[in-house]
Amino acid sequence: AQTVTQSQPEMSVQEAETVTLSCTYDTSENNYYLFWYKQPPSRQMILVIRQEAYKQQNATENRFSVNFQKAAKSFSLKISDSQLGDTAMYFCAFMNAGKSTFGDGTTLTVKP
Amino acid sequence: DTEVTQTPKHLVMGMTNKKSLKCEQHMGHRAMYWYKQKAKKPPELMFVYSYEKLSINESVPSRFSPECPNSSLLNLHLHALQPEDSALYLCASSLTGQNRGELFFGEGSRLTVL
């Protein structure tokens, strides 16, 4: 069975600063996908970024980038130039064989 | 259209009631999912339908009964629920049931069982 661990239940960052959210996972699979999802308060969950395990290059999406270390089974999310709208709960997720496993989430607060 | 639409948004029911949650997507996705989410917790997978067939049931109690009438619709029938079943029920879809599909989530149906 896969496990996903997010060791930071809560984090805060000043607007315009950079913050990194941690995620580690455990699996014996070699072919899988990793995702970061964002769930703002009382709003729907949306995809932030995804990484294919077979790709060595780290994924980037505008202000969001990941540091994917396959051997270490680590998948951290870096948010640059944080904005107030980034305030949300962030979930790291692992997908294999049609099943997603989510971490417990990190609540990020961006302060003005 | 990149939406997953869930109805109703809120539902209050007694333990003897029968109700249904509905989910609809028109993105041509062939995999659809039901998740249960408690406050400040991650979504917990309940069921997965792939090409309109139930492919995963995460040992969910029989008081929850999923149905996939066609590739665009997913229902969750509720009967004889318990107060601890109160939660946000999320529907999601993905292009296929394979590894690479990101999940598209609906806004959820918030269920309260009295």
Side-chain angles (χ1 to χ4, degrees):
Chain A
Q2 283 72 234
T3 60
V4 178
T5 302
Q6 293 179 246
S7 58
Q8 305 150 314
E10 295 184 357
M11 294 191 73
S12 63
V13 63
Q14 291 295 133
E15 198 174 6
E17 298 287 304
T18 295
V19 64
T20 299
L21 279 55
S22 301
C23 174
T24 58
Y25 59 94
D26 189 24
T27 184
S28 58
E29 301 290 337
N30 194 48
N31 182 26
Y32 51 88
Y33 281 67
L34 295 164
F35 303 87
W36 279 98
Y37 288 93
K38 167 186 176 181
Q39 189 174 34
S42 300
R43 293 180 61 190
Q44 76 193 103
M45 191 164 331
I46 59 172
L47 178 73
V48 175
I49 197 165
R50 78 174 184 189
Q51 174 79 43
E52 294 90 339
Y54 63 85
K55 287 188 177 178
Q56 290 187 336
Q57 187 172 7
N58 289 325
T60 64
E61 285 286 342
N62 300 312
R63 299 183 293 108
F64 300 88
S65 61
V66 298
N67 183 1
F68 174 49
Q69 302 288 330
K70 189 172 184 179
K73 295 185 176 133
S74 171
F75 182 60
S76 61
L77 174 69
K78 185 171 83 170
I79 306 174
S80 305
D81 185 25
S82 297
Q83 300 176 359
L84 296 178
D86 295 333
T87 291
M89 195 157 188
Y90 288 80
F91 292 100
C92 177
F94 171 103
M95 180 176 257
N96 174 258
K99 290 177 63 171
S100 285
T101 302
F102 287 80
D104 284 343
T106 297
T107 299
L108 176 67
T109 302
V110 180
K111 298 180 177 179
Chain B
D1 185 358
T2 58
E3 283 191 349
V4 174
T5 304
Q6 289 188 243
T7 55
K9 288 191 174 6
H10 299 275
L11 179 63
V12 179
M13 59 186 291
M15 289 190 285
T16 58
N17 293 157
K18 286 186 181 181
K19 297 285 185 183
S20 297
L21 306 180
K22 182 177 175 180
C23 175
E24 195 167 359
Q25 58 87 15
H26 296 287
M27 294 179 279
H29 289 177
R30 303 312 301 268
M32 296 186 77
Y33 309 76
W34 280 115
Y35 286 87
K36 173 183 178 180
Q37 187 179 29
K38 292 278 199 179
K40 303 287 188 184
K41 296 292 186 183
E44 298 173 24
L45 183 64
M46 300 174 72
F47 304 103
V48 181
Y49 274 83
S50 181
Y51 293 87
E52 300 159 49
K53 290 190 180 345
L54 183 64
S55 59
I56 295 175
N57 176 344
E58 290 287 87
S59 302
V60 179
S62 60
R63 57 186 185 268
F64 295 91
S65 176
E67 178 194 21
C68 188
N70 60 57
S71 60
S72 300
L73 283 176
L74 185 66
N75 298 319
L76 186 64
H77 302 298
L78 314 170
H79 175 54
L81 295 192
Q82 304 297 310
E84 59 264 29
D85 297 322
S86 298
L88 183 68
Y89 288 84
L90 295 171
C91 175
S93 69
S94 65
L95 187 60
T96 71
Q98 300 305 309
N99 293 354
R100 57 190 169 277
E102 69 176 270
L103 294 170
F104 289 77
F105 285 90
E107 292 187 7
S109 293
R110 189 164 297 282
L111 174 67
T112 302
V113 182
L114 300 177

